[in-house]
């Protein structure tokens, strides 16, 4: 009578619920499910048979076993009198479907699902709607496993259309509002589930490999070696295939568990892998990419994934019958969500968010033809309604709402005549969601649709919507989301279209909304308002420079770079340093001559480069660049050294010896194959000579003057910069002597340097690309010295851990000398390194 430890024993209802879940877990271990899931949803090299065997103690579960042993008890649970048991049994159906046979799906599982869609208990009907996405994907997996049997595959796809779509439309018109709202929530993912993720005959893997492998690139690629693997790709995949990644774990838990364990182990050993990576032979390109900040590497993984998905859509179009069924029965109620209007404002906003989140997946399924060739233009109306708030007329809106309430059918509501009302306020979550996926939608639609003009204020073009409703939006997050993907969007336009849009873009960036925000004042944070947007501009600026010619760069983008170099926030200045080589490269005489034949290329190049050099030396090195041993901020002198390092890395990456590298000159039209190339790659001989001359003759002499700088951190930064110089510069006697002297000094100064010097050069990369952030309020000398120690790069943190009394005494002396230097030069502009130049992320 009593339970274990005084607890109540589980009821028969609880036991049946647990049994339904366990039966589903066992069915997911079926070899057919594992093999199909591994080919289309995981990697193409590792089969999930091993993980399944490990999870089941060495025994395999076959589809025949699922049919004979697992299916009968689940069918019995589907007719249980307790609704909780029936609901649990419904949730187990997708895994049984993926692990069973075609006959099981046609004869038992799908008829049972149809019956439960009419269950008396609304909670059971709601569960049916929630599992439709997984049922559709399971049928897809089952059909992908029918290699060489086109008849069975076509039969399964027909069953999906004729069974699941009627269930969906029935639940959308259900008399219970919870059932209707639940189905509306999953309507977008259900439509996206008709996209063919799996491979065709003779292919190794489907599109999901692109999502799980970071753009389909090789693990040994430079991007992967630099740590730019598929972190972004899963986020991108969620935009196109909502709930697809979670479905992988539900349908194939053995593989999901193995992947989770792999990810955990990889996270724990990330630092060890970085150090061990140097043990193998890295190419020069891989080694140099390790010196760069993450935003210059990982963004290309996202772009490669996006291009792979769009290419997959072109080569693997969905079934025409599926597209027709979706357009006829599912698209109208989905579009009606954009105009959802009830007395509950929270419910209206929630439904619009569901619609906006799934919109890229729906557009990917229907493709360009679904946007441009549809007579009713449902997708275009849906997007405009979500982005601008422009709704259809009262008759259409009421018809759409009544359709969802069950009083009219959805096609009638969607086909209602469209008249224009006053724009309704767009919920903020909707705008933020659309801003994040705007560039993905544009990549699917193509440049001709994106650049097409609108039909007046009622139906503006996509670029007009982008400018007025996203770039000029008052919300910081909306602008930030579109800023991060701005180069990807602009690369879709032709050179004339990009040039025409540049003045507008420049006015928005330098206006009060973005870079002009520091002019605003806040009682609690007067200098740091809006810094994340400015940092986003810093990160996209190298790619923007590649899209324009030298004349446009000098007129519009160089002023933006100047504002960012003088920013109050350290993170913004650190990121924008890596744009300087790209700007100087665009000023090469070769690029100037190619951009405008009427301009004297050599004169323009000389004047433009002098403008950049003069500004940098005046802002970073006081007294016009004369010896910076005692003048100016030590943080600015460090920034000058890092700028020289960025130029050196650009030179070494740009010296392309491989014939297959594609030139991405600023004056070239950027094709789809160029968008993921690094902005430092593929220099022409003329560009290389131009950049080498600037580095060796203009920038390096002032950097070498810092060999006797009174601040030790400046000398250490100089060592890091010299280590990445091109070989012909390193072989110069002066440079070699200075580098050797500084290294000997550091070894004498601290016993930990010798150990550090024996380690891999990845630590040097970390010291260049990862700058610490120190606090920015006026403190005592002791507190400032502690902040400098905590905010130093990885090299210095290791350096400090092994420091002895000499190191501590030297640090105190440096702090004292630096304080005296600042007091002596307090009347000079820019001499407030601890107040303004080292504003930290922690204070933000």
């Amino acid at each position: 009578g009593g339970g274990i430890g005084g607890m109540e024993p589980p009821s028969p209802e609880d036991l049946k619920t647990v049994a339904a879940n366990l039966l589903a877990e066992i069915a997911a271990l079926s070899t057919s499910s594992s093999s199909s899931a591994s080919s289309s949803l995981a990697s193409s090299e590792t089969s999930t048979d091993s993980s399944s065997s490990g999870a089941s103690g060495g025994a395999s579960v076959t589809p025949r076993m699922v049919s004979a042993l697992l299916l009968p008890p689940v069918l019995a649970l589907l007719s249980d009198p307790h609704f909780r048991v029936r609901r649990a049994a419904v949730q187990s159906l997708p895994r049984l479907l993926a692990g069973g046979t075609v006959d099981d799906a046609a004869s038992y599982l799908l008829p049972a699902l149809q019956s439960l869609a009419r269950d008396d208990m609304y909670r059971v009907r709601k569960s049916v709607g929630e599992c439709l996405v997984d049922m559709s994907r399971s049928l897809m997996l089952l059909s992908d496993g029918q290699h060489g049997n086109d008849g069975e595959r076509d039969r399964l796809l027909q069953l999906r259309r004729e069974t699941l779509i009627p269930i969906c439309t029935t639940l959308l018109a259900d008399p219970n509002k919870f059932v209707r709202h639940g189905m509306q929530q999953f309507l977008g993912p259900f439509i996206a589930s008709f996209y063919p993720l799996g491979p065709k005959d003779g292919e190794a893997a489907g599109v999901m490999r692109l999502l799980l492998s970071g753009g389909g690139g090789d693990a040994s690629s430079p991007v992967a070696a630099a740590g730019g693997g598929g972190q972004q790709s899963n986020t991108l995949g969620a935009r196109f295939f909502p709930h697809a990644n979670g479905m992988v774990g539900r349908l194939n838990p053995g593989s999901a568990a193995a992947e989770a364990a792999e990810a955990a182990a990889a996270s724990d050993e990330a630092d060890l892998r970085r150090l061990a990576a140097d043990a193998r032979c890295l190419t020069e390109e891989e080694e140099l990419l390790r010196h760069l900040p993450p935003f210059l590497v990982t963004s290309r993984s996202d772009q490669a994934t996006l291009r792979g998905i769009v290419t997959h859509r072109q080569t693997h179009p969905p079934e025409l019958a599926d597209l027709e069924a979706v357009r006829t029965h599912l698209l109208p109620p989905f579009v009606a969500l954009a105009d959802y209007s009830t007395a509950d404002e929270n419910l209206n906003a929630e439904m619009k968010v569901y619609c906006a989140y799934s919109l890229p997946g729906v557009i990917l399924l229907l493709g360009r033809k679904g946007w441009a060739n549809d007579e009713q233009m449902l997708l275009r109306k849906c997007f405009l309604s979500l982005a601008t708030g422009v709704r259809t007329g009262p008759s259409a809106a009421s018809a759409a709402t009544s359709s969802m309430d069950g009083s009219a059918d959805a096609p009638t509501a969607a086909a209602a005549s469209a008249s224009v009302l006053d724009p309704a306020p767009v919920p903020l979550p909707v705008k933020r969601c659309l801003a994040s996926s705007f560039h993905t939608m544009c990549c699917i639609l193509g440049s001709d649709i994106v650049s097409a003009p609108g039909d007046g204020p009622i139906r503006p073009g996509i670029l007009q919507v982008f400018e007025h409703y996203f770039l000029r939006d008052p919300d910081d997050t909306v602008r930030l989301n579109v800023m991060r993907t701005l180069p990807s969007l602009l690369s879709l336009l032709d050179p004339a279209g990009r040039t025409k849009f540049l003045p507008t873009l420049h006015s928005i960036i330098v206006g009060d909304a973005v870079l002009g925000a520091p002019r605003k004042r806040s009682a609690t944070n007067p200098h740091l308002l809006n810094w994340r947007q400015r940092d986003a501009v810093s990160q996209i600026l190298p790619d923007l420079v590649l899209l324009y010619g030298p004349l446009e760069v000098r007129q519009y983008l160089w002023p933006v770079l100047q504002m960012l170099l003088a920013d109050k926030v350290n993170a913004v200045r650190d990121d924008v340093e890596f744009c300087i080589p790209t700007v100087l490269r665009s000023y090469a005489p070769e690029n100037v001559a190619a951009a405008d034949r009427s301009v004297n290329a050599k004169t323009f190049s000389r004047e433009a480069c002098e403008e950049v050099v003069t500004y940098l030396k005046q802002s970073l090195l006081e007294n016009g660049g004369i010896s910076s041993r005692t003048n100016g901020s030590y943080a600015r002198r460090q920034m000058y050294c890092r700028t020289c390092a960025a130029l050196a890395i650009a030179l070494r990456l740009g010296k392309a010896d491989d014939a297959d590298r594609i030139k991405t000159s600023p004056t070239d039209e950027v094709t789809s194959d160029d968008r993921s190339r690094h902005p430092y790659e593929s220099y022409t001989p003329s560009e290389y000579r131009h950049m080498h001359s600037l580095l060796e003759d203009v920038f390096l002499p002032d950097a070498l003057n810092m060999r006797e700088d009174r601040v030790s951190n400046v000398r250490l930064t100089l060592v890091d910069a010299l280590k990445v110089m091109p070989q012909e510069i390193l072989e110069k006697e002066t440079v070699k002597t200075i580098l050797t002297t500084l290294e000997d000094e550091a070894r004498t100064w601290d016993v930990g340097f010798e150990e550090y010097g024996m380690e891999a050069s990845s630590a040097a990369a970390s010291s260049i690309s990862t700058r610490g952030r120190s606090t920015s309020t006026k403190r005592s000398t002791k507190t400032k010295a502690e902040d400098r120690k905590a905010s130093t790069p990885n090299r210095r943190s290791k350096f400090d851990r092994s420091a002895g009394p000499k190191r501590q005494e030297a640090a105190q002396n440096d702090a004292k000398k630096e304080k005296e230097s600042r007091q002596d030069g307090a009347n000079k502009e820019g001499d407030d390194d601890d107040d303004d130049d080292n504003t930290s992320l922690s204070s933000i």
Side-chain angles (χ1 to χ4, degrees):
I4 299 176
M7 298 177 60
E8 290 293 332
S11 64
E13 180 182 352
D14 294 332
L15 292 175
K16 292 178 181 178
T17 301
V18 174
N21 293 329
L22 290 177
L23 291 172
E25 292 291 332
I26 297 173
L29 300 177
S30 171
T31 54
S32 65
S33 175
S34 297
S35 61
S36 61
S38 64
S39 63
S40 61
L41 301 175
S43 67
S44 62
E45 298 177 356
T46 305
S47 173
T48 55
D49 289 340
S50 58
S51 61
S52 300
S53 299
S56 58
S60 61
V61 180
T62 64
R64 190 179 300 275
M65 295 171 62
V66 172
S67 302
L69 302 177
L70 303 181
L71 184 59
V74 171
L75 293 176
L77 294 175
L78 289 172
S79 59
D80 192 90
H82 296 90
F83 81 90
R84 290 179 56 199
V85 177
R86 299 198 302 275
R87 185 174 60 183
V90 167
Q91 295 169 352
S92 69
L93 288 181
R95 284 169 282 184
L96 266 77
L97 182 60
T101 64
V102 178
D103 291 335
D104 292 338
S107 303
Y108 301 105
L109 295 176
L110 292 179
L113 189 69
Q114 288 177 311
S115 176
L116 291 169
R118 299 185 295 270
D119 195 277
D120 294 336
M121 174 55 67
Y122 79 91
R123 289 186 176 91
V124 177
R125 302 197 302 273
K126 186 173 182 291
S127 295
V128 172
E130 292 171 350
C131 77
L132 277 184
V133 178
D134 287 348
M135 292 292 290
S136 177
R137 293 294 188 197
S138 297
L139 286 170
M140 179 199 67
L141 294 177
L142 199 58
S143 66
D144 290 339
Q146 308 300 318
H147 296 297
N149 193 345
D150 293 339
E152 291 295 324
R153 182 178 180 276
D154 295 340
R155 180 189 176 192
L156 285 170
L157 296 179
Q158 183 179 2
L159 283 172
R160 180 169 67 166
R161 290 191 298 268
E162 296 178 353
T163 303
L164 300 187
I165 291 180
I167 291 176
C168 178
T169 55
T170 299
L171 296 177
L172 287 173
D174 194 275
N176 186 280
K177 66 176 183 179
F178 296 107
V179 178
R180 294 196 307 272
H181 296 166
M183 190 64 253
Q184 290 162 1
Q185 175 182 352
F186 285 89
L187 180 57
F190 180 60
I191 295 175
S193 69
F194 284 83
Y195 185 84
L197 298 182
K200 290 186 177 181
D201 293 342
E203 293 182 340
V207 71
M208 283 301 289
R209 184 187 179 186
L210 295 172
L211 305 180
L212 300 178
S213 63
D218 189 359
S220 62
S221 66
V223 172
Q231 180 180 3
Q232 304 289 334
S233 60
N234 286 332
T235 303
L236 183 66
R239 300 173 190 166
F240 286 114
F241 313 111
H243 300 253
N245 291 344
M247 176 269 303
V248 175
R250 292 193 296 272
L251 297 184
N252 195 9
S255 174
E259 290 175 3
E262 250 181 64
S267 176
D268 293 338
E269 300 176 1
D271 293 335
L272 295 177
R273 286 204 314 270
R274 291 191 189 96
L275 295 177
D278 292 317
R280 67 182 180 90
C281 295
L282 295 178
T283 65
E284 180 182 2
E285 183 180 7
E286 292 173 346
E287 180 64 31
L288 291 173
L289 286 175
R290 294 167 61 86
H291 291 71
L292 299 176
F295 70 86
L296 281 177
V297 180
T298 55
S299 62
R300 276 141 189 88
S301 175
D302 200 341
Q303 293 179 17
T305 302
L306 177 58
R307 292 201 319 275
I309 292 174
V310 174
T311 302
H312 184 274
R313 173 60 175 82
Q314 297 170 353
T315 57
H316 299 73
E319 299 289 335
L320 294 179
D322 288 346
L323 293 179
E324 183 61 29
V326 168
R327 277 195 293 262
T328 303
H329 301 288
L330 300 180
L331 184 59
F334 174 79
V335 173
L337 293 177
D339 292 330
Y340 199 88
S341 179
T342 63
D344 189 348
E345 292 296 332
N346 292 331
L347 179 62
N348 297 342
E350 184 180 354
M351 292 302 168
K352 291 178 181 179
V353 169
Y354 293 146
C355 182
Y357 179 75
S358 302
L359 184 60
V362 175
I363 294 178
L364 179 68
L365 174 70
L366 299 177
R368 292 163 47 87
K369 294 182 179 179
W371 178 281
N373 297 346
D374 184 10
E375 295 181 358
Q376 299 177 352
M377 296 185 295
L378 293 181
L379 282 179
R380 183 180 179 186
K381 292 178 182 177
C382 177
F383 167 73
L384 292 178
S385 179
L386 291 172
T388 66
V390 176
R391 300 175 298 171
T392 56
S395 59
S398 60
T401 304
S402 63
S403 162
M404 296 182 179
D405 291 337
S407 58
D409 59 342
T412 303
S417 59
S419 60
V420 179
L421 297 176
D422 293 334
V426 180
L428 187 58
V430 175
K431 291 191 291 185
R432 290 176 174 177
C433 185
L434 287 176
S436 299
S437 58
F438 188 87
H439 76 292
T440 62
M441 183 190 71
C442 293
C443 286
I444 300 172
L445 297 177
S447 59
D448 53 342
I449 295 179
V450 171
S451 58
D455 301 332
I458 298 177
R459 293 188 180 91
I462 292 180
L463 283 182
Q464 294 173 305
V465 173
F466 177 74
E467 175 187 347
H468 295 288
Y469 294 94
F470 290 100
L471 276 179
R472 298 184 185 273
D473 193 273
D475 182 68
D476 291 352
T477 305
V478 172
R479 295 195 304 270
L480 180 62
N481 289 344
V482 295
M483 283 288 181
R484 288 170 174 165
T485 57
L486 185 59
S488 177
L489 174 62
L490 293 179
S491 64
L492 296 173
L493 307 179
D494 56 20
R498 290 197 298 266
T499 303
K500 183 179 179 181
F501 190 71
L502 184 58
T504 302
L505 179 63
H506 174 266
S507 65
I508 294 174
I509 291 179
V510 301
D512 291 339
V514 186
L515 297 186
R519 292 194 293 267
K520 301 178 182 179
R521 289 295 179 261
S522 169
T524 59
N525 211 359
H527 299 299
L528 308 181
L529 191 65
N530 217 19
W531 72 270
R532 288 183 177 86
Q533 287 188 88
R534 304 198 300 274
D535 190 44
V537 176
S538 299
Q539 295 181 5
I540 67 173
L541 204 54
D543 292 320
L544 287 180
V545 172
L546 286 179
L547 296 174
Y548 294 100
L551 278 69
E552 291 82 7
V553 169
R554 187 180 185 186
Q555 181 178 359
Y556 295 106
L557 298 182
W558 166 239
V560 174
L561 178 59
Q562 287 178 288
M563 298 177 68
L564 294 172
L565 286 170
D567 197 89
K568 298 292 184 180
V569 179
N570 192 39
V572 177
R573 299 195 307 272
D574 286 348
D575 288 340
V576 81
E577 294 169 4
F578 291 90
C579 184
I580 296 174
T582 314
V583 172
L584 292 174
R585 175 190 179 182
S586 71
Y587 292 160
E590 173 190 8
N591 296 327
V592 177
D596 192 345
R597 296 290 183 181
S598 62
V599 177
N600 188 317
K602 292 185 178 180
T603 302
F604 180 92
S605 176
R606 183 182 67 256
E607 293 176 352
C609 291
E610 287 178 355
E611 183 180 2
V612 175
V613 172
T614 301
Y615 176 82
L616 290 176
K617 291 189 176 183
Q618 288 180 350
S619 59
L620 302 181
L621 307 175
E622 292 188 351
N623 296 335
I626 305 174
S627 175
S628 57
R629 179 181 177 185
T630 59
N631 295 315
S633 162
Y634 84 93
R636 297 178 183 178
R637 301 197 296 273
Q638 284 181 302
M639 184 176 178
Y640 186 85
C641 292
R642 291 195 299 266
T643 301
C644 294
L647 290 169
I649 294 172
L651 270 176
R652 293 178 61 187
L653 280 173
K655 191 176 182 180
D657 296 326
D658 301 334
D660 57 345
R661 286 191 179 178
I662 303 174
K663 181 180 182 298
T664 53
S665 171
T667 56
D668 287 344
E669 181 177 354
V670 179
T671 65
S672 61
D673 292 332
D674 295 333
R675 286 199 296 268
S676 65
R677 302 298 294 178
H678 198 279
Y680 292 173
E681 286 183 355
S682 306
Y683 279 31
T684 64
S686 174
E687 290 174 334
Y688 186 86
R689 290 192 300 270
H690 168 75
M691 295 292 291
H692 192 281
S693 174
L694 287 174
L695 175 61
E696 183 178 4
D697 301 334
V698 180
F699 284 92
L700 192 58
D702 289 298
L704 295 179
N705 288 337
M706 299 178 194
R707 64 186 180 274
E708 298 180 355
D709 197 285
R710 65 189 304 166
V711 179
S712 58
N713 292 337
V714 176
R715 301 196 300 273
L716 290 177
T717 307
L718 177 60
V719 171
D720 292 335
L722 294 179
K723 284 183 177 181
V724 297
M725 289 292 161
Q727 190 63 34
E728 58 269 22
I729 293 180
L730 281 176
E731 292 176 353
K732 290 183 175 296
E733 191 63 30
T734 305
V735 177
K736 187 185 302 182
T737 302
I738 292 175
L739 180 58
T740 303
T741 302
L742 292 176
E743 289 180 335
D744 291 342
E745 175 191 349
R747 290 189 182 93
T748 305
W749 183 42
D750 194 290
V751 295
F753 184 82
E754 184 176 358
E755 178 186 354
Y756 167 78
M758 297 298 103
E759 291 182 355
S761 60
S762 61
S766 178
S767 99
I768 292 177
S769 62
T770 308
R771 271 78 63 191
R773 281 65 161 138
S774 60
T775 52
S776 63
T777 57
K778 293 185 178 180
R779 304 184 179 97
S780 64
T781 304
K782 179 180 179 181
T783 305
K784 292 177 181 178
E786 291 174 353
D787 287 345
R788 293 190 193 102
K789 178 178 178 180
S791 65
T792 313
N794 293 345
R795 167 175 173 174
R796 284 191 57 210
S797 61
K798 181 177 180 65
F799 201 75
D800 290 338
R801 284 196 295 270
S802 61
K806 293 183 179 180
R807 170 69 177 96
Q808 297 174 2
E809 182 180 358
Q812 293 176 358
N813 292 335
D814 281 344
K816 184 177 179 180
K817 292 178 181 178
E818 184 65 20
K819 181 179 179 181
E820 294 174 354
S821 176
R822 288 197 305 273
Q823 290 175 350
D824 294 339
N827 58 337
K828 297 180 179 180
E829 182 182 356
D831 203 28
D832 52 351
D833 59 294
D834 284 304
D835 295 329
D836 290 335
D837 286 324
N838 288 326
T839 303
S840 70
L841 296 180
S842 60
S843 66
I844 297 171

